[in-house]
């Protein structure tokens, strides 16, 4: 593979190298390195355009959505099922879904592109059932088990089950194994009309692993940056203790299916979170999502940016990451789903903002008072 540059980082448990394929983009504008608090994998690629571990301007995030969507063929066989990976890429997937739907269908209100996310939160329907379609493993993750729900709306369910094209979205691909595991789980569960598969990532270090492994249908791998990575592990380095965040149980604050934005499948998500919020031109604003709840908060951030505020977007996470390299600071607090697991917020300095909006799909009482007080945040609850 032709390469124009190598990026490296010395971590506590070894040295990570990335050899980048020729690109007009500046890789340092797209990602940096960090160290996982995870004995299964020491390194982490931290995106600078994702809006998860580093606050990002919504317009920059939207640019990456459009750039990735433009690489996906607009003539994929219909219907198209697009799946975003929990928790890091559920917002990225939603953004690519919106951009791709516009590029494919224009301004039409009719869409043949369903967006669905993997999740670690079981969702009950109106009858209290949890309509699971399948699950799969992300072996290296701090929370390896992913759930895929069956849509409850008949029209969405039909589009999903009859999908002829599958687009899988993640922030990065290291080995391609997560995509491969998900594809196998979906087809074994009954998604048997697929004709094409597309993987879509910001950065892809897997060197074509998916297309080499999945040979029963055409595979296209699209990304903004490509290359290969290698890790020189220090076998004498002590392994970190990883916090237990792997649960896929229902918490004390269950998910309301009426507020779904992707776990049960959607073709469109309304921009109605914080509809009454007003900002001043030039006001420095930070909008924060919580865990997997990031798309509606992003739409709020985008709306406030278009209103003239200087907006950044980021989110809390259950991903345990060590301080150093791309991670300059971290807040620790208890999750807002009532699971009793640690959550984290990275690289946020409250003094840089005039106002901070902390957005959640769970009630205000579920949110950490310590986090709200540290941030001086205004709480915005999804009540649609």
């Amino acid at each position: 593979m032709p390469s124009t540059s190598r990026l490296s980082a010395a971590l506590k448990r070894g040295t990570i190298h990335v050899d980048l394929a020729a690109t007009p983009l500046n890789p340092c504008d797209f990602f940096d390195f960090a160290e996982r608090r995870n004995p299964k994998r020491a390194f982490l690629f931290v995106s600078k355009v994702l809006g998860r571990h580093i606050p990002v301007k919504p317009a920059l995030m939207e640019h990456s959505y459009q750039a990735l969507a433009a690489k996906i063929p607009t003539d994929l066989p219909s219907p198209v099922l697009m799946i975003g990976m929990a928790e890091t890429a559920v917002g990225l997937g939603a953004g690519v879904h919106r951009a791709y739907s516009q590029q494919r269908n224009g301004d039409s209100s009719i869409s043949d592109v369903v967006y669905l996310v993997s999740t670690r939160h079981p969702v009950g329907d109106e009858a209290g059932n949890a309509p699971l379609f399948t699950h799969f493993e992300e072996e290296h993750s701090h929370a390896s088990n992913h759930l895929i729900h069956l849509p409850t709306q008949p029209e969405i369910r039909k589009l999903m089950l009859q999908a002829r094209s599958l687009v899988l979205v993640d922030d990065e691909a290291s080995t391609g194994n997560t995509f491969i595991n998900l594809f196998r789980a979906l087809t074994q569960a009954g998604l048997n009309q697929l004709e094409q598969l597309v993987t879509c990532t910001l950065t892809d270090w897997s060197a074509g692993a998916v297309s080499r492994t999945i040979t029963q249908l055409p595979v296209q791998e699209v990304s903004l940056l490509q290359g290969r990575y290698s890790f020189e592990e220090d076998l004498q380095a002590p392994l970190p203790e990883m916090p237990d965040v792997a649960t896929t149980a229902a918490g004390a604050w269950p998910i309301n299916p009426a507020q779904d934005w992707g776990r049960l499948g959607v073709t469109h998500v309304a921009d109605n979170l914080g509809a009454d919020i007003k900002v001043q031109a030039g006001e420095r604003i930070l909008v924060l999502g919580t865990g997997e709840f990031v798309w509606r908060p992003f739409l709020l951030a985008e709306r406030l940016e278009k209103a003239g505020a200087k907006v950044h977007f980021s989110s809390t996470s259950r991903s345990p990451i060590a301080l150093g390299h791309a991670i300059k600071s971290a807040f620790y607090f208890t999750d807002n789903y009532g699971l009793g697991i640690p959550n984290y917020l990275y690289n946020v300095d409250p003094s840089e903002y005039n106002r901070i909006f902390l957005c959640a799909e769970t009630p205000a009482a579920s949110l950490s008072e310590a986090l709200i007080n540290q941030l001086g945040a205004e709480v915005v609850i999804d009540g649609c």
Side-chain angles (χ1 to χ4, degrees):
M1 176 183 296
S3 176
T4 59
S5 60
R6 165 174 276 206
L7 299 179
S8 303
L11 308 176
K12 294 178 181 178
R13 292 166 54 199
T15 301
I16 181 77
H17 304 284
V18 172
D19 293 301
L20 291 140
T23 174
L25 304 174
N26 181 358
C28 294
D29 291 338
F30 277 82
F31 76 97
D32 199 350
F33 301 101
E35 188 144 15
R36 298 173 186 262
R37 293 167 57 194
N38 183 340
K40 294 181 285 187
R41 179 178 287 182
F43 54 88
L44 179 70
F45 302 100
V46 177
S47 173
K48 295 182 178 180
V49 299
L50 184 66
R52 170 63 66 168
H53 306 108
I54 298 174
V56 181
K57 295 178 180 179
L60 180 58
M61 297 171 66
E62 169 63 11
H63 179 75
S64 68
Y65 302 155
Q66 294 288 343
L68 276 175
K71 292 177 175 287
I72 303 172
T74 55
D75 60 352
L76 288 175
S78 178
V80 178
L81 173 61
M82 186 177 292
I83 298 180
M85 301 290 188
E87 83 185 338
T88 306
V90 294
L92 174 66
V96 173
H97 171 263
R98 181 179 69 173
Y100 179 71
S101 296
Q102 292 169 346
Q103 293 172 15
R104 179 181 173 93
N105 299 313
D107 295 329
S108 173
S109 60
I110 300 174
S111 177
D112 63 344
V113 186
V114 171
Y115 182 59
L116 188 68
V117 303
S118 75
T119 181
R120 285 148 183 150
H121 296 285
V123 182
D125 61 17
E126 289 80 359
N129 302 312
L132 284 181
F133 182 66
T134 189
H135 65 91
F136 67 99
E137 293 294 317
E138 183 183 9
E139 289 97 340
H140 67 271
S141 177
H142 53 278
S144 61
N145 192 29
H146 290 245
L147 310 176
I148 297 287
H149 288 288
L150 187 66
T152 54
Q153 293 185 26
E155 301 84 359
I156 301 293
R157 179 181 296 193
K158 181 178 179 181
L159 288 171
M160 173 195 173
L161 295 178
Q162 295 183 354
R164 295 165 62 208
S165 299
L166 178 64
V167 181
L168 304 180
V169 183
D170 209 348
D171 59 313
E172 60 95 11
S174 299
T175 64
N177 287 340
T178 303
F179 285 144
I180 294 167
N181 291 348
L182 174 53
F183 175 80
R184 288 173 173 168
L186 291 169
T187 54
Q188 289 170 6
L191 215 63
N192 53 22
Q193 299 185 45
L194 295 175
E195 299 175 14
Q196 292 195 36
L197 170 64
V198 179
T199 66
C200 179
T201 57
L202 293 169
T203 55
D204 188 350
W205 319 126
S206 65
V210 177
S211 57
R212 291 197 311 271
T213 303
I214 298 173
T215 57
Q216 60 266 50
L217 78 175
V219 177
Q220 184 171 350
E221 295 157 296
V222 303
S223 61
L224 299 185
L225 290 178
Q226 308 84 40
R228 298 175 185 266
Y229 81 91
S230 59
F231 183 61
E232 300 172 2
E233 186 173 5
D234 179 0
L235 298 177
Q236 304 304 314
L239 296 178
E241 182 177 345
M242 183 171 67
D244 185 4
V245 295
T247 180
T248 54
W253 303 99
I255 302 297
N256 181 355
Q259 297 172 210
D260 185 53
W261 42 262
R263 294 189 184 101
L264 298 176
V266 293
T267 56
H268 172 75
V269 175
D271 174 18
N272 52 17
L273 180 68
D276 296 331
I277 293 175
K278 306 296 182 184
V279 293
Q280 301 296 320
E283 192 175 9
R284 293 174 288 115
I285 302 293
L286 176 64
V287 178
L288 294 173
T290 43
E292 295 176 3
F293 181 63
V294 293
W295 183 237
R296 278 202 174 102
F298 169 79
L299 295 177
L300 168 62
E302 186 178 55
R303 188 186 340 128
L304 298 182
E305 184 180 51
K306 290 178 179 178
K310 295 181 178 180
V311 182
H312 283 76
F313 179 83
S314 194
S315 179
T316 67
S317 173
R318 68 165 72 183
S319 177
I321 311 172
L323 288 174
H325 298 278
I327 304 301
K328 310 302 183 185
S329 65
F331 289 146
Y332 160 84
F333 48 96
T334 303
D335 79 284
N336 61 294
Y337 293 93
L339 294 166
I341 62 173
N343 272 201
Y344 309 91
L345 177 64
Y346 299 109
N347 291 320
V348 169
D349 180 354
S351 68
E352 294 180 354
Y353 306 99
N354 300 122
R355 299 167 74 186
I356 296 176
F357 297 105
L358 180 62
C359 307
E361 61 183 343
T362 54
S366 69
L367 292 164
S368 165
E369 290 188 14
L371 177 65
I372 295 171
N373 292 336
Q374 281 182 304
L375 298 177
E378 302 174 44
V379 173
V380 183
I381 300 300
D382 185 14
C384 64

